[in-house]
Amino acid sequence: MLQTNRKGDWLEIIIPDEWKNKSVEDLFHQIWNCPRKLTHLFRMGKKVWLNGKPANWREPFGTGAKLSLQLFSENMPDIPATYLDVPVLYEDDHLLIFNKPPFITTHPNNPSMEKNTLLNAAAFHMLANGETGEVRHIHRLDRDTSGAIVFAKHSFAGALLDQLLEKRKIKRTYVAIVHGMITGKNGTFSKPIGRDRHHPTRRRVSPTGQEALTHYQVIKRDLASQLTYVKCWLETGRTHQIRVHFSDAGHPLAGDLLYGGKAIFPRQALHAAKLEFTHPFTEERIECYAPFLDSPPIFKDIDLYRL
C-alpha cells in the first residue's frame, strides 16, 4: 500500500522502494498507462513536482522521494446538483461508490432536462461536502438495476479507473433471480451481444455483436416458485449483458418484461452486490458489498458476505 497525503489541490505520494529507479515518465506510461492527452496536460501544465520543485520527467526518483500531483481543481460541476437519498458504500478524495436504488438512471441523456439521475446526486454529494470537480461515472447500471457503482471525483482518477475497467481489473459480482430451474452448479455464457434492429433499446445475441462473457454460479433454487438464484460476474460490460444471456438460455430474469420475464417483481431481479479492485493511487484492495434496498424485499435469505 502506498503512502499518500492530500495537501490542498495536490496529492503527495511517498515513492516506495520498488519505484526508486523509475521516473515520472515511467510512472505515467508504464505503471498508470495514463492517456496521452492527459499526460501531456500534466507535463505542459507543470502539474507534477518532485521534492518541492517541478519534476524532471526522466530523472529516477530515488528512495523516499516525494512526488506531488495537482489533481484537485476548483471547477464547479457541469451538471445540476440534485439531492437524492443514495447510500454511500465507500468514499475518499478520488472516488465515490454509491449503492444505487432501483428506478434511478445512472446519468442524464439530456442534462438540461434530466436532473434526477445518480450523476446529479453525485454532484450534490460533492458540493455538500465542500468539494468541487467534474465527477463522472466509471460504469453504468440499468435504471431498474440496483447496487454498487463507481464514480471518479477528478479526471485523473477517471482515467486510471477506466484503465482498470478496460483491463477487467474491476470485478463486479451480481445477484439475479431467473425463471426456471438451472441444471448444474455453474457455467459461462460467451455469445456475442448486439443491438436488436427491431427495438430501440433491446439487445440480443448476435454473431456480429460484441464479445460478451458472463460467468454464473447457482446460489439456491426455489422449487415452489420455479426460480433460481444465481451469482454472476462479468468479463465484459455490454448493455443488458446478464439480462440478454439468461434470456437467450431460456431463463429470463424474474420481473424483466423486456426480455421475457414475468411481472412477479416491480423490476428485473438484478443487483450489483459486490465490487472489488485495487485502488489506483494507494494500491489498497477495495472490496465493497451493497446491501439489498427493495421494500418489500426481492432477494430473500441471501448472505452477501459469502458471495
Side-chain angles (χ1 to χ4, degrees):
M1 181 172 170
L2 296 180
Q3 182 181 343
T4 65
N5 303 290
R6 179 171 178 175
K7 296 185 175 181
D9 293 345
W10 296 76
L11 178 73
E12 180 184 86
I13 301 174
I14 308 301
I15 298 300
D17 286 343
E18 58 266 30
W19 288 3
K20 66 181 181 181
N21 295 319
K22 299 287 186 181
S23 65
V24 174
E25 197 166 80
D26 295 332
L27 189 60
F28 271 68
H29 294 314
Q30 298 176 15
I31 297 176
W32 286 336
N33 294 308
C34 188
R36 289 184 179 180
K37 184 177 180 180
L38 191 59
T39 299
H40 180 74
L41 177 66
F42 271 75
R43 185 193 289 267
M44 300 308 294
K46 298 190 183 300
K47 294 176 178 287
V48 184
W49 286 46
L50 188 62
N51 296 325
K53 61 182 180 180
N56 178 335
W57 278 57
R58 295 185 178 179
E59 178 184 345
F61 293 128
T63 303
K66 294 182 179 180
L67 180 71
S68 298
L69 305 170
Q70 191 176 18
L71 300 181
F72 311 102
S73 72
E74 295 185 358
N75 295 331
M76 296 299 291
D78 57 359
I79 186 169
T82 304
Y83 172 74
L84 298 175
D85 185 12
V86 181
V88 174
L89 300 175
Y90 176 88
E91 182 177 14
D92 61 22
D93 290 327
H94 311 287
L95 57 96
L96 171 65
I97 303 179
F98 275 142
N99 188 6
K100 176 187 172 299
F103 315 118
I104 296 178
T105 305
T106 298
H107 64 95
N109 292 316
N110 186 337
S112 63
M113 298 294 292
E114 298 175 75
K115 300 180 181 180
N116 290 306
T117 74
L118 206 58
L119 187 60
N120 298 103
F124 183 95
H125 179 85
M126 287 187 63
L127 290 175
N129 290 333
E131 297 181 275
T132 56
E134 296 179 3
V135 63
R136 72 172 178 87
H137 60 283
I138 299 303
H139 57 110
R140 300 184 182 112
L141 291 177
D142 295 339
R143 176 184 177 275
D144 292 352
T145 298
S146 55
I149 182 169
V150 184
F151 287 80
K153 287 186 169 184
H154 55 80
S155 60
F156 206 92
L160 300 193
L161 288 165
D162 284 342
Q163 289 287 335
L164 292 180
L165 190 68
E166 183 179 340
K167 293 180 178 179
R168 303 176 183 178
K169 292 184 177 180
I170 298 180
K171 183 177 180 181
R172 294 165 286 168
T173 302
Y174 295 77
V175 176
I177 305 174
V178 304
H179 289 292
M181 297 291 100
I182 294 179
T183 58
K185 294 182 178 179
N186 51 59
T188 297
F189 299 122
S190 58
K191 293 181 179 180
I193 292 174
R195 289 184 177 273
D196 187 331
R197 292 176 295 174
H198 306 291
H199 194 281
T201 59
R202 191 165 53 204
R203 301 298 194 270
R204 65 182 182 90
V205 164
S206 169
T208 60
Q210 294 178 296
E211 176 193 17
L213 287 171
T214 303
H215 306 289
Y216 70 87
Q217 178 181 325
V218 173
I219 300 174
K220 68 174 186 176
R221 297 177 177 87
D222 183 342
L223 293 174
S225 299
Q226 286 292 290
L227 297 172
T228 302
Y229 289 66
V230 293
K231 175 177 78 171
C232 316
W233 59 102
L234 308 177
E235 296 286 342
T236 52
R238 307 305 173 207
T239 300
H240 300 175
Q241 179 172 322
I242 293 172
R243 300 164 66 187
V244 172
H245 271 159
F246 276 100
S247 178
D248 178 72
H251 297 285
L253 269 62
D256 191 358
L257 303 184
L258 184 62
Y259 291 103
K262 298 176 183 178
I264 61 174
F265 301 124
R267 67 179 183 97
Q268 70 256 13
L270 182 62
H271 179 75
K274 184 179 179 183
L275 272 175
E276 301 167 83
F277 59 94
T278 299
H279 196 291
F281 292 104
T282 68
E283 297 187 352
E284 175 187 9
R285 187 65 182 169
I286 304 297
E287 191 173 277
C288 276
Y289 293 86
F292 300 117
L293 298 172
D294 299 277
S295 182
I298 290 176
F299 302 91
K300 300 177 181 179
D301 301 320
I302 299 295
D303 185 354
L304 287 176
Y305 300 95
R306 297 186 67 180
L307 293 177

